[in-house]
mmCIF file with all atom_site columns, all heavy atoms in Angstrom:
data_model
loop_
_atom_site.group_PDB
_atom_site.id
_atom_site.type_symbol
_atom_site.label_atom_id
_atom_site.label_alt_id
_atom_site.label_comp_id
_atom_site.label_asym_id
_atom_site.label_entity_id
_atom_site.label_seq_id
_atom_site.pdbx_PDB_ins_code
_atom_site.Cartn_x
_atom_site.Cartn_y
_atom_site.Cartn_z
_atom_site.occupancy
_atom_site.B_iso_or_equiv
_atom_site.pdbx_formal_charge
_atom_site.auth_seq_id
_atom_site.auth_comp_id
_atom_site.auth_asym_id
_atom_site.auth_atom_id
_atom_site.pdbx_PDB_model_num
ATOM 1  N N   . ALA U 1 120 ? 5.225  16.750 10.186 1.00 97.00 ? 148 ALA U N   1
ATOM 2  C CA  . ALA U 1 120 ? 5.253  18.012 10.942 1.00 97.00 ? 148 ALA U CA  1
ATOM 3  C C   . ALA U 1 120 ? 6.267  17.953 12.080 1.00 97.00 ? 148 ALA U C   1
ATOM 4  O O   . ALA U 1 120 ? 6.974  18.926 12.344 1.00 97.00 ? 148 ALA U O   1
ATOM 5  C CB  . ALA U 1 120 ? 3.860  18.324 11.482 1.00 97.00 ? 148 ALA U CB  1
ATOM 6  N N   . ILE U 1 121 ? 6.348  16.828 12.767 1.00 97.00 ? 149 ILE U N   1
ATOM 7  C CA  . ILE U 1 121 ? 7.341  16.666 13.831 1.00 97.00 ? 149 ILE U CA  1
ATOM 8  C C   . ILE U 1 121 ? 8.747  16.761 13.259 1.00 97.00 ? 149 ILE U C   1
ATOM 9  O O   . ILE U 1 121 ? 9.639  17.397 13.843 1.00 97.00 ? 149 ILE U O   1
ATOM 10 C CB  . ILE U 1 121 ? 7.141  15.327 14.572 1.00 97.00 ? 149 ILE U CB  1
ATOM 11 C CG1 . ILE U 1 121 ? 5.838  15.355 15.376 1.00 97.00 ? 149 ILE U CG1 1
ATOM 12 C CG2 . ILE U 1 121 ? 8.320  15.034 15.494 1.00 97.00 ? 149 ILE U CG2 1
ATOM 13 C CD1 . ILE U 1 121 ? 5.463  14.008 15.988 1.00 97.00 ? 149 ILE U CD1 1
ATOM 14 N N   . THR U 1 122 ? 8.956  16.138 12.109 1.00 98.00 ? 150 THR U N   1
ATOM 15 C CA  . THR U 1 122 ? 10.257 16.209 11.446 1.00 98.00 ? 150 THR U CA  1
ATOM 16 C C   . THR U 1 122 ? 10.641 17.667 11.189 1.00 98.00 ? 150 THR U C   1
ATOM 17 O O   . THR U 1 122 ? 11.776 18.085 11.461 1.00 98.00 ? 150 THR U O   1
ATOM 18 C CB  . THR U 1 122 ? 10.214 15.444 10.111 1.00 98.00 ? 150 THR U CB  1
ATOM 19 O OG1 . THR U 1 122 ? 9.933  14.068 10.369 1.00 98.00 ? 150 THR U OG1 1
ATOM 20 C CG2 . THR U 1 122 ? 11.539 15.566 9.367  1.00 98.00 ? 150 THR U CG2 1
ATOM 21 N N   . ALA U 1 123 ? 9.703  18.446 10.653 1.00 98.00 ? 151 ALA U N   1
ATOM 22 C CA  . ALA U 1 123 ? 9.966  19.845 10.364 1.00 98.00 ? 151 ALA U CA  1
ATOM 23 C C   . ALA U 1 123 ? 10.188 20.651 11.643 1.00 98.00 ? 151 ALA U C   1
ATOM 24 O O   . ALA U 1 123 ? 11.046 21.546 11.694 1.00 98.00 ? 151 ALA U O   1
ATOM 25 C CB  . ALA U 1 123 ? 8.813  20.443 9.566  1.00 98.00 ? 151 ALA U CB  1
ATOM 26 N N   . ALA U 1 124 ? 9.420  20.355 12.689 1.00 97.00 ? 152 ALA U N   1
ATOM 27 C CA  . ALA U 1 124 ? 9.559  21.081 13.949 1.00 97.00 ? 152 ALA U CA  1
ATOM 28 C C   . ALA U 1 124 ? 10.958 20.873 14.535 1.00 97.00 ? 152 ALA U C   1
ATOM 29 O O   . ALA U 1 124 ? 11.582 21.821 15.032 1.00 97.00 ? 152 ALA U O   1
ATOM 30 C CB  . ALA U 1 124 ? 8.484  20.618 14.933 1.00 97.00 ? 152 ALA U CB  1
ATOM 31 N N   . ILE U 1 125 ? 11.435 19.643 14.485 1.00 98.00 ? 153 ILE U N   1
ATOM 32 C CA  . ILE U 1 125 ? 12.787 19.357 14.990 1.00 98.00 ? 153 ILE U CA  1
ATOM 33 C C   . ILE U 1 125 ? 13.823 20.081 14.137 1.00 98.00 ? 153 ILE U C   1
ATOM 34 O O   . ILE U 1 125 ? 14.792 20.663 14.656 1.00 98.00 ? 153 ILE U O   1
ATOM 35 C CB  . ILE U 1 125 ? 13.042 17.843 14.997 1.00 98.00 ? 153 ILE U CB  1
ATOM 36 C CG1 . ILE U 1 125 ? 12.115 17.146 16.001 1.00 98.00 ? 153 ILE U CG1 1
ATOM 37 C CG2 . ILE U 1 125 ? 14.505 17.550 15.337 1.00 98.00 ? 153 ILE U CG2 1
ATOM 38 C CD1 . ILE U 1 125 ? 12.179 15.632 15.953 1.00 98.00 ? 153 ILE U CD1 1
ATOM 39 N N   . TYR U 1 126 ? 13.629 20.069 12.826 1.00 98.00 ? 154 TYR U N   1
ATOM 40 C CA  . TYR U 1 126 ? 14.548 20.770 11.917 1.00 98.00 ? 154 TYR U CA  1
ATOM 41 C C   . TYR U 1 126 ? 14.613 22.264 12.239 1.00 98.00 ? 154 TYR U C   1
ATOM 42 O O   . TYR U 1 126 ? 15.705 22.844 12.326 1.00 98.00 ? 154 TYR U O   1
ATOM 43 C CB  . TYR U 1 126 ? 14.088 20.557 10.482 1.00 98.00 ? 154 TYR U CB  1
ATOM 44 C CG  . TYR U 1 126 ? 14.790 21.429 9.471  1.00 98.00 ? 154 TYR U CG  1
ATOM 45 C CD1 . TYR U 1 126 ? 16.077 21.127 9.030  1.00 98.00 ? 154 TYR U CD1 1
ATOM 46 C CD2 . TYR U 1 126 ? 14.160 22.562 8.966  1.00 98.00 ? 154 TYR U CD2 1
ATOM 47 C CE1 . TYR U 1 126 ? 16.728 21.937 8.111  1.00 98.00 ? 154 TYR U CE1 1
ATOM 48 C CE2 . TYR U 1 126 ? 14.799 23.380 8.039  1.00 98.00 ? 154 TYR U CE2 1
ATOM 49 C CZ  . TYR U 1 126 ? 16.079 23.068 7.612  1.00 98.00 ? 154 TYR U CZ  1
ATOM 50 O OH  . TYR U 1 126 ? 16.706 23.870 6.704  1.00 98.00 ? 154 TYR U OH  1
ATOM 51 N N   . LEU U 1 127 ? 13.467 22.887 12.432 1.00 98.00 ? 155 LEU U N   1
ATOM 52 C CA  . LEU U 1 127 ? 13.441 24.312 12.729 1.00 98.00 ? 155 LEU U CA  1
ATOM 53 C C   . LEU U 1 127 ? 14.021 24.608 14.110 1.00 98.00 ? 155 LEU U C   1
ATOM 54 O O   . LEU U 1 127 ? 14.586 25.683 14.351 1.00 98.00 ? 155 LEU U O   1
ATOM 55 C CB  . LEU U 1 127 ? 12.005 24.837 12.646 1.00 98.00 ? 155 LEU U CB  1
ATOM 56 C CG  . LEU U 1 127 ? 11.375 24.842 11.245 1.00 98.00 ? 155 LEU U CG  1
ATOM 57 C CD1 . LEU U 1 127 ? 9.897  25.217 11.336 1.00 98.00 ? 155 LEU U CD1 1
ATOM 58 C CD2 . LEU U 1 127 ? 12.117 25.804 10.317 1.00 98.00 ? 155 LEU U CD2 1
ATOM 59 N N   . ASP U 1 128 ? 13.906 23.665 15.022 1.00 97.00 ? 156 ASP U N   1
ATOM 60 C CA  . ASP U 1 128 ? 14.373 23.862 16.392 1.00 97.00 ? 156 ASP U CA  1
ATOM 61 C C   . ASP U 1 128 ? 15.882 23.656 16.521 1.00 97.00 ? 156 ASP U C   1
ATOM 62 O O   . ASP U 1 128 ? 16.541 24.364 17.275 1.00 97.00 ? 156 ASP U O   1
ATOM 63 C CB  . ASP U 1 128 ? 13.638 22.898 17.324 1.00 97.00 ? 156 ASP U CB  1
ATOM 64 C CG  . ASP U 1 128 ? 13.744 23.293 18.791 1.00 97.00 ? 156 ASP U CG  1
ATOM 65 O OD1 . ASP U 1 128 ? 13.328 24.427 19.127 1.00 97.00 ? 156 ASP U OD1 1
ATOM 66 O OD2 . ASP U 1 128 ? 14.222 22.480 19.596 1.00 97.00 ? 156 ASP U OD2 1
ATOM 67 N N   . SER U 1 129 ? 16.421 22.685 15.763 1.00 97.00 ? 157 SER U N   1
ATOM 68 C CA  . SER U 1 129 ? 17.835 22.339 15.957 1.00 97.00 ? 157 SER U CA  1
ATOM 69 C C   . SER U 1 129 ? 18.612 22.036 14.683 1.00 97.00 ? 157 SER U C   1
ATOM 70 O O   . SER U 1 129 ? 19.804 21.757 14.751 1.00 97.00 ? 157 SER U O   1
ATOM 71 C CB  . SER U 1 129 ? 17.961 21.124 16.893 1.00 97.00 ? 157 SER U CB  1
ATOM 72 O OG  . SER U 1 129 ? 17.667 21.476 18.215 1.00 97.00 ? 157 SER U OG  1
#
Side-chain angles (χ1 to χ4, degrees):
I149 292 172
T150 298
I153 294 173
Y154 169 78
L155 293 173
D156 197 58
S157 287

